[in-house]
Amino acid sequence: MTSFPDPDGVVPLLRRGTVMVVVMAPGATPEDVARVVARVEAAGGETFVSTGVSRTIIGLVGDVDAFWQLDLRALPGVAAVHRISDPYKLVSRQHHPERSTVWVGSGERRVPLGPGRFTLIAGPCAVESAEQALEAAHIARSAGASLLRAGAWKQRTSPYAFPGLGVTGLEILARAGEATGMPVVTEVVDPRDVPVAAEHADMLQVGSASMASVGLLQAVAETGRPVLLERGHTATVEEWLMAAEHIAQRGNLDIVLCERGIRTFEPTTRTTPDLVAVPVAQAASHLPVVVDPSHAAGRRDLVVPLARAAIAVGADGVAVDVHPHPEDALCHGPQALHGAELRELARAVRRLPAALGRQDTPAAYPRS
Amino acid sequence: MTSFPDPDGVVPLLRRGTVMVVVMAPGATPEDVARVVARVEAAGGETFVSTGVSRTIIGLVGDVDAFWQLDLRALPGVAAVHRISDPYKLVSRQHHPERSTVWVGSGERRVPLGPGRFTLIAGPCAVESAEQALEAAHIARSAGASLLRAGAWKQRTSPYAFPGLGVTGLEILARAGEATGMPVVTEVVDPRDVPVAAEHADMLQVGSASMASVGLLQAVAETGRPVLLERGHTATVEEWLMAAEHIAQRGNLDIVLCERGIRTFEPTTRTTPDLVAVPVAQAASHLPVVVDPSHAAGRRDLVVPLARAAIAVGADGVAVDVHPHPEDALCHGPQALHGAELRELARAVRRLPAALGRQDTPAAYPRS
Amino acid sequence: MTSFPDPDGVVPLLRRGTVMVVVMAPGATPEDVARVVARVEAAGGETFVSTGVSRTIIGLVGDVDAFWQLDLRALPGVAAVHRISDPYKLVSRQHHPERSTVWVGSGERRVPLGPGRFTLIAGPCAVESAEQALEAAHIARSAGASLLRAGAWKQRTSPYAFPGLGVTGLEILARAGEATGMPVVTEVVDPRDVPVAAEHADMLQVGSASMASVGLLQAVAETGRPVLLERGHTATVEEWLMAAEHIAQRGNLDIVLCERGIRTFEPTTRTTPDLVAVPVAQAASHLPVVVDPSHAAGRRDLVVPLARAAIAVGADGVAVDVHPHPEDALCHGPQALHGAELRELARAVRRLPAALGRQDTPAAYPRS
Amino acid sequence: MTSFPDPDGVVPLLRRGTVMVVVMAPGATPEDVARVVARVEAAGGETFVSTGVSRTIIGLVGDVDAFWQLDLRALPGVAAVHRISDPYKLVSRQHHPERSTVWVGSGERRVPLGPGRFTLIAGPCAVESAEQALEAAHIARSAGASLLRAGAWKQRTSPYAFPGLGVTGLEILARAGEATGMPVVTEVVDPRDVPVAAEHADMLQVGSASMASVGLLQAVAETGRPVLLERGHTATVEEWLMAAEHIAQRGNLDIVLCERGIRTFEPTTRTTPDLVAVPVAQAASHLPVVVDPSHAAGRRDLVVPLARAAIAVGADGVAVDVHPHPEDALCHGPQALHGAELRELARAVRRLPAALGRQDTPAAYPRS
């Protein structure tokens, strides 16, 4: 074993925990190596160079984000750059090993999402009318939900599809939440709508199509409301956590991650629900992780099996669409649960977390 | 409602259940339409034409596979061709609504895979020695497995990786199965090895990299042995069922489908386990469906959560890698279970199927 | 040939050119069929029913978008719904067979993008300073560019990356465009910034991460400025055209589509440039289509080969990053061209369109 | 700059050019580090350890493939393992910087594929009859082809599709090649057919569905015939090169890589042609790279634009389907060129390589 000596005090620098490895190409010249070293040192970093004949490797010590900005890959003679440390910090479990619990709502209507619990979020995809919203809220409640979710603005692929009721929808949703004793969650799609949404809703959702919209992430963060952050259809887990980092960076750490399917080549379902992302994200981040099987699959017959699987894989909650009359729904009717499926879901929510050894009872049970 | 009249006896033809719809392009000429009609009729089909000014639609009645061969999309004026019926038949649930049970092994060692049951398949990724195989078989047994799986030939990406022990491995595996009372499953990767594999193994596995290798599918089918058919990393559910149809077509319907992850953009895990494919495949086909969480994730810490999720989503079984000394494994050590994870798996296998209302006890329990 | 009779005047309805086919499941009841018919008719549509024993098919005539809202897949007994007509209209080539030319800029600085031409768009990824922007503009001009592109706001994955200079950047960019005689293009990422961007820029870019952000698409449309619409990393060509339809619907048809790579499993390049999407989009839509090889590949050595391929596949233009000192760039330095590559690009831009028989000379040549 | 001292002679070991970096997890113990070191040293490697408080990094020197076998990721305390050197060797350009030329055929009919040239490969997807094959060969020749390709065995998704004529097809193909003065290429799908195919064909093709079938790769390698190795639909460039390494390892370096589209989420075309893979593969490997636009797109109208783009991106050749009567083709008729498209292709093949500065004239021109 060839121990790495430390005559120049490298070890203390390593304590900062941020390192990068630059691999030089076989034909790189000493000047190429010197250029990398110079740029890193100009940026306040330290380097250690391991020179062979066919390859030279340079280890970087210091602020990995500053180094990343240097775009060292662009320099002549650089073959590859490996980042060793995570690109996110505030949401990383590395520096915050305990998993977090996020509380939504206030006063009597205060609901936790986090480890050792299971929380059901339910409601209609879109608010359509006061009657529909209230009826759906009762259905959600009786299935075991403790958080009510519905959309006032919808991000639709087609300009000819129902866009939502806007502020009117927010008001209806808030009343339905009060009437059924549940805090409410609603999606925002435009930063200009965030202030009014934060007035009416207890939690703001950033949808998959907006996950990378920095302006929206910042606007949402600044309200101080808890955020339900959907994973983009094409986002890696790392990019999802980077989006969360954008929120955290503005001082808001009340973030719940929501997996809702990734885009793959398989055409049968709307997206491919990536359930393994739940334990992967929980290992990388201290934030709670829930799954939305309704939007992921887009087909009612798959929602209950997926909800069961989400519970079994360790999700901290599940978010589903319910509707009093799915066949009349203005948005995503084919995925809304009703009747028999709803009862099956309620049964799974009641029994499965316990069978899997979750110690807390779900917050979602009726409290009386 | 404009009813479709039947002066020419179209309805009886529709009983064959095979139809296709040809959509003509806006500028298609009457000659273009006539050409489609002529080709279909030359192939023994019937057509019904619905002519508008901007669009003409042609419905085809008869043998959809013969029509598909015609490549009607290639004809001038054709905008799109929609196939209405499934491209697979023997494995389709459409004509065989009852889900099937496949029996593996003979005599005392006869194990069912199918509805109402849960079956654990376990063993080392590769047979390395008689001691390792026997030890792994005992581990598998004590975790609740009723089928022993291990590889004698490995399909490796690198030519510098361990390729397996070949026939020697088969013999070792067969003895380990006998000693522990389990039928054995092994993968074949070359049609030339199929006869000898069928002599020693109770079930033959076709791996994901070979799923589309018609020669191998046919060779395996002809042995009459039950087949464990892994989904290709890039195969749609429909293509997976078409691969099963290749086997079924040769008279062998003892096929168990095995989901083991699809390739996506997400780099964290080796592949993305597609758990929703389990209920999707079970709805489309009568064949049993199992999940291999070890190969799908490639990481030990994710195997037990995924196995739980597979049970919860309704899989008829789970196949996992176990190894007496994963750190010494010659193949995929990082995914093999041992110690604590193995005990967790055994617990999940024992309790979860029952908690989910599976009526039969798993065949997988130690028989005393 | 069984002709489809028209006693009830179906043919005139088909002139509206919008149809959908509903395939009922094998076991669907007459009530299931009647329910579909009733819903369609309640929505103002007409139906024609073709009843077989194992299958019934229902053709719908009328407004396909209204039908799509009905979510007929949600109804009992429905197996599949096939849409026959395109979901987009204003940007479709079906109703507008001539390909469009979009003009950017005004007065002396007015540049066309469209068929029979080739246009080079170039500039630095981000505006960093007045000097850098002006120097990059001169480089772009000498490589044959006629449009100058640079970012004032950047949509960055990491909150720790350079976010752009904002309004100051816009002002610098406008001056650099004036000094070099080129109209300017800049990306907007937040609807709140759109008005000020439209004051300074001749064309607004919607980036891939924002392609599905309806609020941003609407805000951009309403400025009346031409729009450079990047394809989302995970968007199908159809979804890309639907995003364009969102803009067109607000009365702005001056849209140029920009292909810049899709996300796949291949890790070598940042994304996979989807060059076949150029002729596919040109066949489906009358809008011009350009390619951005710099962002698609993320590697300087691949930019020129890709630019050549984009010209050869028929792109109406190419957009590339240039930078006076790529090694000091604050954004995506490794993809910016300089020196030898830049000269190669200029050569390709000068010769290749002509060699491929483009009849017009590029608008991009220096005007003397 | 902290230089890495070499008291123990590490530098000479680095000359072997194979290194790996093991990153330990923050909480890793000294025992965890020692375990990694011990395993590597037991495998004949050397280690250098850089110990910080929050992170320890271990550099490995020696045989990277042996280290890879150790599955160090499986050891306690290991966070990540980065491989620095390429996993392939014989096909790598690292040790063989000159690009290779592969010669196909013998005597008069000897055709080169490689740098500085452009070679057109053409023929019918499947041999259907002596007449069809000969007619297609003449069409191919007149379009500028110098290699004739046609299939005797087809790897079809459906068991109900045309499987090819087998040995009869080989004989027909060989005669058509002789009659038109072109060496012939044919696909093999089963290792049992390789010997007879090698008797009749000058080059053997391994298709995308078989790219990972090690038995087939080995059987093909052993014939000594040049191999046309298609990239799997889901294979990364690295995996494609690893498949080539399987062939090279058996002593056969006459390998031509063929890009024919990768599977993505985009449904418009059969696959997404990955043209940037051409310069990527040419930079990583010394082997020639060609593109098959017919199978990649699956649509005739896209073949010529793609062929042009392939030439422009730097492909060493293009392989296309031609057929005397595409509307009667038994296999993939919609992608076969004829008439106007064929003339366009011939024109592109004649002019474009020269316009791009290829110095050699294509081997593909008629020699008389």
Side-chain angles (χ1 to χ4, degrees):
Chain A
M1 169 169 158
T2 307
S3 202
F4 186 69
D6 190 31
D8 304 300
V10 167
V11 168
L13 290 166
L14 277 172
R15 292 185 196 185
R16 297 177 60 186
T18 52
V19 288
M20 201 182 266
V21 174
V22 177
V23 182
M24 303 304 290
T29 63
E31 290 70 37
D32 293 339
V33 173
R35 199 178 295 111
V36 171
V37 168
R39 293 202 74 183
V40 170
E41 298 192 343
E46 300 276 326
T47 57
F48 51 99
V49 176
S50 161
T51 309
V53 168
S54 73
R55 285 271 193 199
T56 294
I57 300 172
I58 310 173
L60 311 193
V61 176
D63 177 356
V64 75
D65 294 307
F67 298 163
W68 202 241
Q69 294 300 315
L70 299 176
D71 271 333
L72 299 170
R73 286 176 304 158
L75 292 182
V78 172
V81 175
H82 295 284
R83 194 173 53 194
I84 304 299
S85 69
D86 289 341
Y88 42 86
K89 311 197 172 320
L90 301 172
V91 306
S92 168
R93 201 163 171 180
Q94 197 169 305
H95 307 295
H96 188 310
E98 292 300 306
R99 298 195 56 226
S100 299
T101 294
V102 171
W103 290 86
V104 181
S106 56
E108 288 275 303
R109 292 186 293 147
R110 205 156 160 266
V111 170
L113 276 144
R117 293 185 164 84
F118 177 79
T119 306
L120 181 65
I121 305 170
C125 181
V127 176
E128 297 167 18
S129 71
E131 296 67 35
Q132 172 255 14
L134 187 61
E135 215 174 326
H138 281 299
I139 288 171
R141 198 83 178 103
S142 68
S146 53
L147 268 169
L148 176 64
R149 181 178 69 166
W153 294 281
K154 305 305 299 178
Q155 189 90 282
R156 302 299 292 264
T157 305
S158 169
Y160 307 108
F162 177 63
L165 295 181
V167 177
T168 306
L170 285 181
E171 293 164 354
I172 290 174
L173 175 61
R175 283 198 300 272
E178 268 172 53
T180 51
M182 291 186 281
V184 301
V185 193
T186 204
E187 181 173 348
V188 282
V189 300
D190 191 315
R192 296 168 297 187
D193 298 326
V194 166
V196 68
E199 273 174 45
H200 292 89
D202 301 286
M203 182 180 216
L204 299 178
Q205 175 176 309
V206 174
S208 55
S210 311
M211 190 206 84
S213 296
V214 173
L216 186 65
L217 294 171
Q218 292 174 344
V220 162
E222 284 160 9
T223 66
R225 293 282 188 206
V227 182
L228 186 63
L229 177 64
E230 290 191 344
R231 179 182 181 188
H233 282 154
T234 190
T236 61
V237 170
E238 186 175 299
E239 289 165 342
W240 190 20
L241 296 177
M242 289 303 281
E245 187 84 4
H246 271 287
I247 298 171
Q249 247 241 331
R250 300 263 159 157
N252 186 342
L253 267 159
D254 289 334
I255 306 163
V256 175
L257 301 167
C258 179
E259 158 65 32
R260 52 155 289 172
I262 58 173
R263 179 156 274 186
T264 69
F265 59 79
E266 172 60 50
T268 317
T269 46
R270 186 189 293 142
T271 61
T272 297
D274 181 9
L275 292 179
V276 80
V278 173
V280 165
Q282 287 171 337
S285 169
H286 55 88
L287 301 175
V289 184
V290 303
V291 172
D292 178 343
S294 301
H295 286 85
R299 274 170 50 177
R300 179 179 304 132
D301 62 320
L302 300 172
V303 172
V304 174
L306 276 172
R308 281 197 200 107
I311 298 171
V313 91
D316 300 302
V318 160
V320 296
D321 278 11
V322 298
H323 196 285
H325 310 289
E327 64 284 4
D328 295 327
L330 293 181
C331 173
H332 292 330
Q335 75 196 27
L337 294 179
H338 64 163
E341 292 111 334
L342 209 56
R343 285 188 292 276
E344 270 193 89
L345 177 72
R347 202 178 308 124
V349 164
R350 214 165 285 133
R351 295 189 193 164
L352 212 46
L356 287 155
R358 300 263 179 109
Q359 308 196 341
D360 272 9
T361 53
Y365 287 161
R367 284 147 207 191
S368 62
Chain B
M1 172 172 158
T2 306
S3 200
F4 187 67
D6 191 30
D8 305 301
V10 167
V11 168
L13 289 166
L14 276 172
R15 293 186 194 185
R16 297 176 60 187
T18 53
V19 289
M20 202 181 267
V21 173
V22 176
V23 182
M24 304 302 291
T29 63
E31 290 70 37
D32 292 341
V33 173
R35 199 178 297 109
V36 172
V37 168
R39 293 202 74 183
V40 170
E41 299 193 344
E46 301 276 324
T47 57
F48 51 99
V49 178
S50 161
T51 310
V53 167
S54 75
R55 284 273 192 198
T56 294
I57 301 171
I58 310 173
L60 311 193
V61 175
D63 177 356
V64 75
D65 293 308
F67 299 162
W68 203 241
Q69 294 299 316
L70 299 176
D71 270 333
L72 299 170
R73 286 177 305 158
L75 292 183
V78 172
V81 176
H82 295 284
R83 194 173 52 194
I84 304 299
S85 68
D86 288 341
Y88 42 85
K89 311 198 173 319
L90 300 172
V91 305
S92 169
R93 202 163 171 180
Q94 196 170 303
H95 307 294
H96 187 312
E98 293 300 306
R99 300 195 55 228
S100 300
T101 294
V102 171
W103 290 86
V104 181
S106 56
E108 287 275 305
R109 291 187 294 146
R110 203 156 160 266
V111 170
L113 275 144
R117 293 185 164 85
F118 177 79
T119 305
L120 182 65
I121 305 169
C125 181
V127 176
E128 299 167 17
S129 69
E131 296 67 34
Q132 171 254 17
L134 187 62
E135 214 174 327
H138 281 299
I139 289 172
R141 197 82 179 103
S142 68
S146 53
L147 268 168
L148 176 64
R149 180 179 69 166
W153 294 280
K154 306 304 298 178
Q155 189 91 282
R156 302 300 291 266
T157 304
S158 169
Y160 308 108
F162 177 62
L165 297 181
V167 177
T168 307
L170 285 181
E171 292 164 354
I172 290 173
L173 176 61
R175 283 198 300 272
E178 267 172 54
T180 52
M182 292 185 281
V184 302
V185 192
T186 205
E187 181 173 347
V188 282
V189 300
D190 190 316
R192 297 168 295 188
D193 299 326
V194 168
V196 67
E199 273 175 45
H200 291 89
D202 300 285
M203 183 180 215
L204 300 178
Q205 175 176 306
V206 173
S208 56
S210 311
M211 190 207 83
S213 295
V214 174
L216 186 64
L217 294 171
Q218 292 174 344
V220 163
E222 283 160 9
T223 65
R225 291 283 187 206
V227 182
L228 186 62
L229 178 63
E230 290 192 342
R231 180 182 181 187
H233 282 154
T234 190
T236 61
V237 171
E238 185 175 300
E239 290 166 341
W240 191 18
L241 295 178
M242 289 303 283
E245 187 85 4
H246 271 289
I247 298 171
Q249 248 241 328
R250 300 263 159 156
N252 185 343
L253 267 158
D254 289 336
I255 306 163
V256 175
L257 301 166
C258 179
E259 158 64 33
R260 53 156 288 175
I262 58 173
R263 179 157 273 186
T264 70
F265 58 81
E266 172 61 50
T268 318
T269 45
R270 186 189 292 141
T271 61
T272 298
D274 182 8
L275 292 179
V276 80
V278 173
V280 165
Q282 287 171 336
S285 169
H286 55 88
L287 301 175
V289 184
V290 304
V291 172
D292 178 343
S294 301
H295 285 85
R299 273 171 51 178
R300 180 180 303 133
D301 62 320
L302 300 172
V303 171
V304 173
L306 275 172
R308 282 196 199 108
I311 298 171
V313 91
D316 300 302
V318 160
V320 297
D321 277 13
V322 299
H323 196 285
H325 310 290
E327 65 283 4
D328 294 327
L330 294 181
C331 173
H332 292 327
Q335 74 196 27
L337 295 179
H338 64 163
E341 292 112 333
L342 209 56
R343 285 187 293 276
E344 271 193 90
L345 177 72
R347 203 178 309 124
V349 165
R350 215 165 284 132
R351 295 189 192 165
L352 213 47
L356 287 155
R358 301 265 179 108
Q359 308 197 340
D360 272 10
T361 53
Y365 287 163
R367 285 153 204 185
S368 84
Chain C
M1 171 172 159
T2 307
S3 202
F4 186 67
D6 189 30
D8 305 302
V10 166
V11 168
L13 290 166
L14 276 173
R15 291 185 195 185
R16 297 178 60 187
T18 53
V19 289
M20 201 181 264
V21 173
V22 177
V23 182
M24 304 302 291
T29 64
E31 290 70 36
D32 293 340
V33 173
R35 199 178 296 111
V36 172
V37 168
R39 293 202 72 185
V40 170
E41 299 192 344
E46 301 277 324
T47 57
F48 51 100
V49 177
S50 162
T51 310
V53 168
S54 75
R55 284 273 192 199
T56 294
I57 302 171
I58 310 174
L60 311 194
V61 175
D63 177 357
V64 73
D65 293 307
F67 299 162
W68 202 243
Q69 295 299 315
L70 300 176
D71 271 333
L72 298 170
R73 287 177 303 158
L75 293 182
V78 172
V81 175
H82 295 283
R83 193 172 53 194
I84 304 298
S85 68
D86 288 341
Y88 42 86
K89 310 195 174 322
L90 301 171
V91 306
S92 169
R93 202 164 170 179
Q94 196 169 305
H95 307 295
H96 188 311
E98 293 299 306
R99 299 195 55 226
S100 299
T101 294
V102 171
W103 290 87
V104 181
S106 55
E108 288 276 304
R109 291 187 293 147
R110 202 154 162 268
V111 170
L113 276 145
R117 292 185 165 84
F118 177 78
T119 306
L120 181 66
I121 305 170
C125 182
V127 176
E128 297 168 19
S129 70
E131 294 67 35
Q132 171 255 14
L134 187 61
E135 215 174 327
H138 281 298
I139 289 172
R141 198 82 179 101
S142 67
S146 53
L147 268 169
L148 175 64
R149 182 178 69 166
W153 294 281
K154 306 305 300 176
Q155 190 92 281
R156 302 299 292 266
T157 305
S158 168
Y160 308 108
F162 177 62
L165 297 181
V167 177
T168 306
L170 285 181
E171 293 164 354
I172 290 173
L173 176 61
R175 282 197 300 271
E178 267 171 54
T180 50
M182 292 186 281
V184 302
V185 193
T186 204
E187 180 172 348
V188 283
V189 300
D190 190 315
R192 295 169 298 187
D193 299 326
V194 167
V196 68
E199 273 174 44
H200 292 87
D202 301 285
M203 184 181 214
L204 300 178
Q205 175 175 307
V206 174
S208 56
S210 310
M211 191 206 83
S213 295
V214 174
L216 186 64
L217 294 172
Q218 292 174 344
V220 163
E222 284 161 7
T223 65
R225 291 282 188 207
V227 182
L228 186 62
L229 178 63
E230 290 192 344
R231 179 181 181 188
H233 282 153
T234 189
T236 61
V237 171
E238 185 175 300
E239 290 165 342
W240 190 20
L241 295 178
M242 289 303 283
E245 187 84 4
H246 271 288
I247 298 171
Q249 247 242 327
R250 300 263 158 157
N252 185 342
L253 267 158
D254 288 335
I255 307 162
V256 175
L257 301 167
C258 179
E259 158 65 33
R260 53 155 288 171
I262 58 173
R263 179 156 274 186
T264 69
F265 58 80
E266 172 60 51
T268 317
T269 46
R270 187 190 293 142
T271 61
T272 298
D274 182 8
L275 292 180
V276 81
V278 173
V280 165
Q282 288 171 337
S285 168
H286 55 88
L287 301 175
V289 184
V290 303
V291 171
D292 179 342
S294 301
H295 285 85
R299 272 169 54 177
R300 179 179 305 132
D301 62 320
L302 300 172
V303 172
V304 174
L306 276 172
R308 281 197 200 108
I311 297 172
V313 90
D316 300 302
V318 159
V320 297
D321 278 12
V322 298
H323 195 285
H325 311 288
E327 64 284 4
D328 294 327
L330 294 181
C331 173
H332 291 329
Q335 75 197 26
L337 294 180
H338 64 162
E341 293 110 336
L342 209 55
R343 284 187 294 276
E344 271 194 88
L345 177 72
R347 202 177 308 124
V349 164
R350 215 165 285 133
R351 297 190 189 163
L352 212 46
L356 288 155
R358 300 263 180 111
Q359 309 197 339
D360 271 9
T361 52
Y365 287 161
R367 287 156 205 177
S368 84
Chain D
M1 172 171 156
T2 307
S3 201
F4 186 69
D6 189 32
D8 305 301
V10 166
V11 168
L13 289 165
L14 275 172
R15 292 187 194 185
R16 296 178 59 187
T18 53
V19 289
M20 201 182 266
V21 173
V22 177
V23 182
M24 304 302 291
T29 63
E31 289 70 35
D32 293 339
V33 173
R35 200 178 296 111
V36 172
V37 168
R39 293 202 73 185
V40 170
E41 299 193 342
E46 300 278 324
T47 57
F48 51 99
V49 176
S50 162
T51 310
V53 169
S54 73
R55 286 272 190 200
T56 293
I57 302 171
I58 309 174
L60 311 193
V61 176
D63 177 357
V64 75
D65 294 306
F67 298 162
W68 202 242
Q69 294 299 317
L70 299 176
D71 272 333
L72 299 169
R73 287 176 304 157
L75 292 183
V78 172
V81 175
H82 295 283
R83 192 172 53 193
I84 304 299
S85 69
D86 289 340
Y88 43 86
K89 311 198 173 321
L90 301 172
V91 305
S92 169
R93 202 163 169 180
Q94 197 170 302
H95 307 296
H96 188 311
E98 293 299 306
R99 300 195 54 227
S100 298
T101 294
V102 171
W103 290 86
V104 181
S106 55
E108 288 276 304
R109 292 187 295 146
R110 202 153 162 268
V111 170
L113 276 145
R117 291 183 166 86
F118 176 78
T119 306
L120 181 66
I121 304 169
C125 182
V127 177
E128 299 167 19
S129 70
E131 294 68 32
Q132 172 255 14
L134 186 61
E135 215 174 327
H138 281 299
I139 289 172
R141 198 81 178 103
S142 67
S146 52
L147 268 169
L148 175 64
R149 180 179 69 167
W153 295 280
K154 307 305 299 178
Q155 190 91 281
R156 302 300 291 265
T157 305
S158 168
Y160 307 109
F162 177 63
L165 297 181
V167 177
T168 306
L170 285 180
E171 293 164 353
I172 291 174
L173 176 60
R175 282 197 301 271
E178 268 171 55
T180 51
M182 291 185 282
V184 301
V185 193
T186 204
E187 181 172 346
V188 282
V189 299
D190 190 317
R192 296 169 295 187
D193 299 326
V194 167
V196 67
E199 273 174 45
H200 292 88
D202 300 286
M203 183 181 215
L204 299 179
Q205 174 175 307
V206 173
S208 56
S210 311
M211 190 206 83
S213 295
V214 174
L216 186 64
L217 294 170
Q218 293 174 344
V220 163
E222 284 159 9
T223 66
R225 291 282 186 207
V227 182
L228 186 62
L229 178 63
E230 290 193 342
R231 179 182 180 187
H233 282 154
T234 191
T236 61
V237 170
E238 185 174 301
E239 290 164 344
W240 190 19
L241 294 177
M242 290 303 282
E245 188 84 4
H246 271 288
I247 298 171
Q249 248 242 327
R250 299 264 159 157
N252 186 342
L253 267 159
D254 289 335
I255 306 164
V256 175
L257 301 167
C258 179
E259 158 65 32
R260 51 156 289 174
I262 57 173
R263 180 156 273 187
T264 69
F265 58 80
E266 172 61 51
T268 318
T269 44
R270 186 190 293 141
T271 61
T272 297
D274 182 9
L275 292 180
V276 81
V278 173
V280 165
Q282 287 171 336
S285 168
H286 55 87
L287 301 175
V289 184
V290 302
V291 171
D292 178 342
S294 301
H295 285 85
R299 273 170 51 179
R300 180 179 305 133
D301 62 320
L302 300 171
V303 172
V304 174
L306 276 171
R308 281 196 200 109
I311 298 172
V313 92
D316 299 302
V318 159
V320 297
D321 277 12
V322 298
H323 196 284
H325 310 289
E327 65 283 4
D328 295 325
L330 294 180
C331 173
H332 292 328
Q335 76 196 24
L337 294 180
H338 65 163
E341 293 111 333
L342 209 55
R343 284 187 294 274
E344 271 193 86
L345 177 72
R347 202 177 309 124
V349 164
R350 216 164 286 132
R351 295 188 192 165
L352 214 46
L356 287 155
R358 302 265 179 109
Q359 308 197 341
D360 272 10
T361 53
Y365 288 161
R367 283 149 209 192
S368 63

